[in-house]
Amino acid sequence: MVDILHRVGIKAPLEEVYKALATRDGVAAWWTTNTQGESKVGGVLQFRFSDGAGVEIGGFEMKVLELHPATQVLWQVTGGPEEWIGTRIDWELRQEGEYVIVLFKHRGWKEPVEFMHHCGTKWAIFLMSLKSLLETGKGSPNPGDIKIDNWN
Amino acid sequence: MVDILHRVGIKAPLEEVYKALATRDGVAAWWTTNTQGESKVGGVLQFRFSDGAGVEIGGFEMKVLELHPATQVLWQVTGGPEEWIGTRIDWELRQEGEYVIVLFKHRGWKEPVEFMHHCGTKWAIFLMSLKSLLETGKGSPNPGDIKIDNWN
């Protein structure tokens, strides 16, 4: 088992950071504009992605396992690329001085395949999109996300 | 043992990407302007970092273990934060269509400490600085690097 781990610090109210992770409209503003479903415990969220030309290139389905205001959001992947199925995406929040610290863990990858390298970098890009959304009012969700390689 | 893994694709000649990793001046243009030492097998490189106000905040010393033109650069950390000592930083390159694919592995962390989360995100930022240097002529090395949290 190998994990993708990240940490960002965001200068914004803790409740706003939580809302950007715990609500459908929040996630749509930094990850992918095409976010559907219900963000409630036991609910399922669908995330769809397009390339620069507007062609759909895939997506993920996640079950919401935990929603603890101001402290944690936990998703389990139930649909998408084979390597993602069964993995968990864990968001932990806490206040530290003027920053909200976001600890991110995408856990449960079976093998450190090349696709995992890509996803590790891409998650960092989306965490910076989340930070930008909360600090400046503007995120860069897909399809306007920063491209990192030939896998997008 | 846990690893930080990343993947970027760079639209630039393979030999230029290699040079940006295998030479002191190359690394200084995307990681930290304060890069000293000799980039040759068995040589030692010193990387120093400053905060936004120009105050030195630490650095790393690395021994160059492997330099294989156009395919691989491998460093071993010999000085710096305790968690980094003994870890290895491995750069693998290959051409794939119009992209040079860079596979990055920072291997040998003993524990997935919070500092490792920070370093995982920060490496992604510096890989995007490398990509930008090669595609646009301008990287964002420290002290002009993008800050991600209260650890910089």
Side-chain angles (χ1 to χ4, degrees):
Chain A
M1 292 290 211
V2 281
D3 304 333
I4 294 168
L5 307 174
H6 286 298
R7 180 187 198 269
V8 292
I10 300 176
K11 286 187 189 180
L14 182 51
E15 59 268 35
E16 292 299 314
V17 181
Y18 177 72
K19 227 194 283 177
L21 296 170
T23 68
R24 191 186 66 171
D25 289 352
V27 178
W30 62 265
W31 196 20
T32 178
T33 55
N34 192 346
T35 297
Q36 309 292 335
E38 273 199 287
S39 184
K40 59 174 189 183
V41 174
V44 173
L45 288 164
Q46 289 98 23
F47 308 99
R48 297 279 172 269
F49 295 80
S50 306
D51 67 11
V55 178
E56 193 171 307
I57 51 171
F60 311 105
E61 199 175 88
M62 307 212 193
K63 190 170 169 184
V64 180
L65 296 188
E66 307 271 349
L67 284 175
H68 300 291
T71 56
Q72 194 197 15
V73 172
L74 179 64
W75 298 327
Q76 174 144 32
V77 182
T78 53
E82 196 196 332
E83 298 93 334
W84 278 54
I85 307 280
T87 61
R88 288 183 178 200
I89 290 157
D90 186 11
W91 304 88
E92 282 172 49
L93 308 179
R94 68 167 198 276
Q95 190 76 44
E96 197 172 297
E98 57 186 347
Y99 288 90
V100 174
I101 301 299
V102 179
L103 279 189
F104 169 93
K105 300 174 214 286
H106 185 176
R107 285 184 156 144
W109 290 76
K110 289 191 190 78
E111 299 289 339
V113 291
E114 192 162 332
F115 183 47
M116 186 182 166
H117 294 64
H118 166 88
C119 295
T121 313
K122 197 77 199 196
W123 272 125
I125 296 291
F126 284 119
L127 279 158
M128 293 306 283
S129 167
L130 169 71
K131 178 176 165 72
S132 170
L133 170 69
L134 290 155
E135 293 181 349
T136 73
K138 195 172 156 26
S140 299
N142 180 269
D145 53 327
I146 293 171
K147 312 306 181 193
I148 61 166
D149 61 20
N150 54 338
W151 293 344
N152 248 291
Chain B
M1 291 291 209
V2 282
D3 305 331
I4 294 168
L5 307 174
H6 287 297
R7 181 188 199 267
V8 293
I10 300 176
K11 286 189 188 179
L14 183 51
E15 58 267 36
E16 292 299 314
V17 181
Y18 178 71
K19 226 193 282 178
L21 297 169
T23 67
R24 190 187 66 173
D25 288 353
V27 178
W30 63 264
W31 197 19
T32 178
T33 55
N34 191 347
T35 296
Q36 309 293 333
E38 272 198 286
S39 184
K40 60 174 190 183
V41 175
V44 172
L45 288 165
Q46 287 99 22
F47 308 98
R48 298 279 172 271
F49 295 80
S50 305
D51 68 11
V55 178
E56 194 171 306
I57 52 171
F60 311 106
E61 199 176 270
M62 305 214 193
K63 190 171 169 182
V64 180
L65 295 187
E66 308 269 350
L67 285 177
H68 301 291
T71 56
Q72 194 198 15
V73 171
L74 180 63
W75 298 327
Q76 174 143 32
V77 182
T78 53
E82 195 197 329
E83 298 93 334
W84 278 53
I85 306 282
T87 61
R88 289 181 178 201
I89 291 158
D90 186 12
W91 304 89
E92 283 172 46
L93 307 180
R94 67 170 198 274
Q95 190 75 44
E96 198 172 296
E98 57 185 349
Y99 288 90
V100 174
I101 301 298
V102 179
L103 279 189
F104 169 94
K105 299 175 213 288
H106 185 176
R107 284 185 157 144
W109 290 77
K110 290 192 189 79
E111 299 289 338
V113 290
E114 192 163 332
F115 183 46
M116 186 181 166
H117 295 62
H118 165 87
C119 294
T121 313
K122 197 76 200 197
W123 272 125
I125 296 293
F126 283 119
L127 280 157
M128 295 305 284
S129 167
L130 169 70
K131 178 175 165 71
S132 171
L133 170 70
L134 289 155
E135 293 181 349
T136 74
K138 196 173 157 22
S140 300
N142 177 270
D145 53 326
I146 294 170
K147 314 304 181 195
I148 62 167
D149 61 20
N150 54 339
W151 293 344
N152 247 292

